Amino acid sequence: MLQLNDNYQKLPGSYLFSTIAKKVAAYTSAHPDKTIIRMGIGDVTQPIAPAIIEAMHKAVEEMSVAESFHGYAPDLGYEFLRNAIVEHDYKARGCDISMDEIFVSDGAKCDSGNIQELFAPEARIAVCDPVYPVYVDSNVMAGRCGTYDEKTGMWSRVIYMPCIMENGFVPEFPGETPDVIYLCLPNNPTGTTITKAQLQEWVDYANKNGALIIYDAAYEAYISEGNVAHSIYECTGAKTCAIELKSFSKNAGFTGVRLGYTVIPKALVFGGVSLNAMWARRHGTKYNGAPYIVQRAGEAVYSKEGKAQLKEQVAYYMKNASLIHDGLKNAGYTVFGGVNAPYIWLKTPKHMTSWDFFDYLLTEANVVGTPGEGFGPSGQGYFRLTAFGTQENTVAALDRIRQL
């Protein structure tokens, strides 16, 4: 009889955003006359920038001619894109990253879930709490997290680093020494971040303890403060302890186009084994590459026109973030984030649980957000709103919330 991977059966409920979608669908079905404003999932709403669309059209035309047709992409990604990434994301910031350390993919979510395949089942992971659910869930699927305690919402073999109001939502070094440390900065869901000096301390900690940092920098385009690093490789020693995940979804609106990349330095060696070589083997075996058309779109992100147009889009979303932050604060809510990230993290009113506040907003204001509890036990009593909606809907949602 077929034996299944019973680690999947250990996962509590469905994926967070799937649960939210089901709740919203049920409410909409019962109340078809209601107009729902969605501020839950971090999905962009602005159209792809003109410079990028132009590059995609050109690439489509190339695919229609035998002389310029492209089939399978190179394992690591086309050189034209990887070269643009090196020049603009790393050399421009003083980071010594080479093309053969960059692996192009169809997005950071897939890479953040798949990267755990490099680690032994015994490896202990440390995560910020609250945290993006994929980090923990993918390790649960691999049998790395132990048993789940429904009362605490915690896994027995996961090392939690509480990020709460009392510590400014900044993780502190764990009491136990982990093998793998997940850091998402600027942070999803809290919208907060740390300074470059603080990040350097994490790099030093990892190198001292022989730990690996998985650094999710999906939101670096939203950084506005000068003392915040855009890449972990701005820190001394990061190439011997850190893997960096990057996404085009949030900075270029590619949530529906799909493009990202992972950086694994060749200096990243554990037990005499190169993680760069391991990921190259995994990448070549299990992945056929992002489409040529999409990679040409990614290249256009770094063009002069592309940079200017995307800077305007980021400003658009960050204006939304400012509107949400200030509007809720003036309405009496305790709010955080919205400075270096397009997320607002707020304390639920009247001691409501996160899911109770979700239901309250949905039924009374017809606004959808994300319960903090869905990101981990320390998210209980908090709630996330995104700034990725249109400004019209953002203003309308704030008006509805103020009237509660």
Side-chain angles (χ1 to χ4, degrees):
M1 181 176 178
L2 174 65
Q3 298 296 308
L4 302 178
N5 180 353
D6 61 3
N7 292 309
Y8 279 72
Q9 311 312 313
K10 299 177 182 178
L11 289 165
S14 61
Y15 181 57
L16 172 61
F17 295 104
S18 298
T19 301
I20 290 173
K22 290 175 183 176
K23 277 179 165 282
V24 175
Y27 180 82
T28 302
S29 178
H31 304 85
D33 58 316
K34 302 295 185 182
T35 302
I36 306 296
I37 298 179
R38 301 171 189 270
M39 302 175 72
I41 191 170
D43 196 2
V44 296
T45 54
Q46 294 301 292
I48 300 294
I52 298 171
I53 291 295
E54 182 179 349
M56 293 177 78
H57 280 307
K58 181 179 178 182
V60 169
E61 290 299 324
E62 290 179 33
M63 296 294 279
S64 70
V65 180
E67 290 75 17
S68 55
F69 173 79
H70 290 77
Y72 289 125
D75 279 359
L76 273 64
Y78 286 101
E79 286 195 11
F80 61 75
L81 176 57
R82 289 186 291 127
N83 182 61
I85 290 169
V86 167
E87 292 297 324
H88 297 275
D89 285 348
Y90 293 102
K91 282 189 178 180
R93 297 190 175 110
C95 305
D96 182 22
I97 296 296
S98 60
M99 278 204 305
D100 55 0
E101 295 174 319
I102 292 169
F103 298 80
V104 176
S105 71
D106 58 359
K109 179 177 181 178
C110 293
D111 285 353
S112 65
N114 292 329
I115 199 71
Q116 55 77 29
E117 292 185 23
L118 301 186
F119 317 136
E122 301 78 28
R124 295 289 302 279
I125 68 166
V127 297
C128 295
D129 175 29
V131 71
Y132 183 45
V134 172
Y135 308 151
V136 174
D137 286 2
S138 59
N139 278 281
V140 171
M141 293 171 180
R144 196 172 286 117
C145 296
T147 57
Y148 182 72
D149 187 329
E150 291 187 7
K151 292 183 178 179
T152 64
M154 302 173 78
W155 293 89
S156 61
R157 296 195 72 251
V158 173
I159 300 170
Y160 292 89
M161 302 180 291
C163 297
I164 54 180
M165 188 164 57
E166 288 72 19
N167 63 11
F169 304 102
V170 173
E172 299 170 2
F173 298 133
E176 301 177 77
T177 302
D179 298 300
V180 181
I181 304 165
Y182 285 83
L183 295 178
C184 176
L185 297 165
N187 185 257
N188 175 19
T190 66
T192 55
T193 193
I194 61 177
T195 65
K196 182 178 177 179
Q198 289 173 307
L199 183 58
Q200 181 67 59
E201 292 177 1
W202 279 99
V203 169
D204 295 341
Y205 171 87
N207 278 319
K208 178 181 177 181
N209 291 281
L212 171 71
I213 296 174
I214 306 296
Y215 191 76
D216 188 343
Y219 300 94
E220 65 83 16
Y222 294 85
I223 293 172
S224 62
E225 296 179 318
N227 63 345
V228 177
H230 287 258
S231 167
I232 196 168
Y233 302 118
E234 294 178 43
C235 296
T236 303
K239 291 179 67 176
T240 57
C241 71
I243 290 173
E244 184 162 275
L245 310 177
K246 285 285 190 75
S247 170
F248 287 79
S249 289
K250 311 304 182 181
N251 69 320
F254 278 27
T255 54
V257 176
R258 308 309 306 150
L259 188 66
Y261 65 88
T262 291
V263 181
I264 305 185
K266 286 176 286 187
L268 199 55
V269 177
F270 286 84
V273 178
S274 164
L275 268 66
N276 180 283
M278 283 183 72
W279 189 247
R281 185 67 171 87
R282 190 262 174 209
H283 208 64
T285 301
K286 293 190 174 184
Y287 186 62
N288 270 334
Y292 172 75
I293 296 165
V294 173
Q295 293 197 45
R296 279 297 186 191
E299 179 189 30
V301 166
Y302 300 101
S303 68
K304 181 179 179 181
E305 297 79 8
K307 283 184 174 181
Q309 291 162 9
L310 294 180
K311 184 177 181 180
E312 291 181 2
Q313 284 198 358
V314 167
Y316 179 94
Y317 293 129
M318 289 310 291
K319 181 178 179 180
N320 283 349
S322 179
L323 288 171
I324 299 168
H325 182 282
D326 295 347
L328 292 177
K329 185 176 181 180
N330 292 336
Y333 287 86
T334 302
V335 294
F336 310 91
V339 177
N340 294 298
Y343 293 122
I344 302 299
W345 188 243
L346 62 119
K347 196 161 180 60
T348 57
K350 302 176 182 178
H351 304 289
M352 287 186 186
T353 68
S354 298
W355 280 107
D356 283 346
F357 188 62
F358 173 89
D359 292 335
Y360 178 65
L361 270 191
L362 176 60
T363 58
E364 300 301 320
N366 302 146
V367 172
V368 176
T370 309
E373 183 185 1
F375 296 100
S378 290
Q380 179 59 272
Y382 292 92
F383 203 77
R384 192 193 77 173
L385 293 173
T386 83
F388 285 120
T390 64
Q391 286 184 4
E392 179 183 13
N393 280 345
T394 299
V395 171
L398 282 172
D399 287 342
R400 293 183 186 183
I401 295 172
R402 288 195 197 99
Q403 293 173 25
L404 294 176

